[in-house]
Amino acid sequence: MTNDTETTKEKEAPPTADRSRLAMGWYRLVQVTVATLLSSVSGIRVSGRNNLPEHGGALLVSNHVSHLDVFILGIPLHRPLNYVARSTLFLPLLGSFIRSVGGFPIQREGMGVQGLKETLRRIKKGGIVVLFPEGTRSRDGELGELKSGISVLASRARVAVVPAGIAGTFEAWPRSRAFPLPHPVRIHYGPPILPEELEGLDTEAVTALIRGRILECLDVARAGLQRDLQNDPEKTAVGRIGKLG
């Protein structure tokens, strides 16, 4: 992608070891379908995508304000994502779909032993696992306190922890609304936190570091969204997914 006003093709994705070719084909189909649907009603613009590692396991951590966040985070990326989802979502049909695109369940109260093991297993297979370390969607659009389990996981995984900030999905579909409305969206992926940066830090310090990086990404995303709205007050930036460097 060349700039924030053009639609361009993604580069060929590198091979992935964390799922079969068939599963990858299905993931791409869902990815393109969701991208098309969302782009038809809201502009999605992205920055910092090159901060995601091209291969190997990683954690992607983000703020969480809307049902849309899970879909939004994966749309611009070459590599497929694995999603942590609360166990109550794994109903007969919905659960099968979530699993088919890389989702796996955890208990609502926290990740637990099984969730931790599954997350580490997928990371060791070279996958990227998405986590929303607040544990639930924000009620006011602001980043809440992070669950302490994120520090344990980050320290155990010893892989890059990539922070991300999403702006606009709270206005599009907050938890208080039954249905989404069109609204421009910005995503910013920040520089990864490397395992060496976590060495010697206690649980609180690791959690604070990750939260601070997510806040930085959120500030970038919000500033970009504000520029979009000022330059395009009628929200005509609809129907495209663009990159901002």
Side-chain angles (χ1 to χ4, degrees), residues 13 19 27 33 51 55 74 88-89 103 117 123 133 136 157 164 172 193 232 236 244:
R19 64 193 72 196
Y27 183 93
T33 301
N51 285 315
H55 52 80
T88 53
L89 292 175
K117 287 183 178 179
I123 289 172
T136 188
I193 303 170
D232 194 359
T236 56
L244 302 171

Side-chain angles (χ1 to χ4, degrees), residues 158-174:
R158 294 197 57 79
V159 294
V161 179
V162 181
I166 306 174
T169 55
F170 181 76
E171 292 78 6
W173 198 2

Side-chain angles (χ1 to χ4, degrees), residues 59-184:
L59 286 170
L60 177 59
V61 294
S62 174
N63 63 310
H64 192 21
V65 294
S66 171
H67 287 302
L68 296 173
D69 297 337
V70 173
F71 300 105
I72 291 290
L73 277 175
I75 284 176
L77 302 179
H78 308 313
R79 297 185 60 187
L81 301 180
N82 295 272
Y83 302 93
V84 174
R86 68 176 187 270
S87 58
T88 53
L89 292 175
F90 285 78
L91 303 172
L93 292 179
L94 180 59
S96 296
F97 173 74
I98 294 173
R99 292 183 189 278
S100 75
V101 292
F104 60 96
I106 61 168
Q107 297 301 313
R108 187 179 182 89
E109 309 81 51
M111 179 162 286
V113 175
Q114 291 303 315
L116 177 62
K117 287 183 178 179
E118 182 62 18
T119 300
L120 293 174
R121 186 186 73 82
R122 297 198 182 207
I123 289 172
K124 288 180 180 179
K125 290 183 67 176
I128 299 176
V129 176
V130 177
L131 290 172
F132 298 109
E134 294 166 272
T136 188
R137 285 165 291 150
S138 171
R139 294 185 179 277
D140 59 4
E142 299 301 321
L143 182 68
E145 294 302 316
L146 308 191
K147 301 294 184 181
S148 60
I150 186 60
S151 62
V152 176
L153 178 58
S155 299
R156 288 277 300 275
R158 294 197 57 79
V159 294
V161 179
V162 181
I166 306 174
T169 55
F170 181 76
E171 292 78 6
W173 198 2
R175 61 186 298 168
S176 59
R177 188 187 300 147
F179 300 99
L181 295 175
H183 196 280

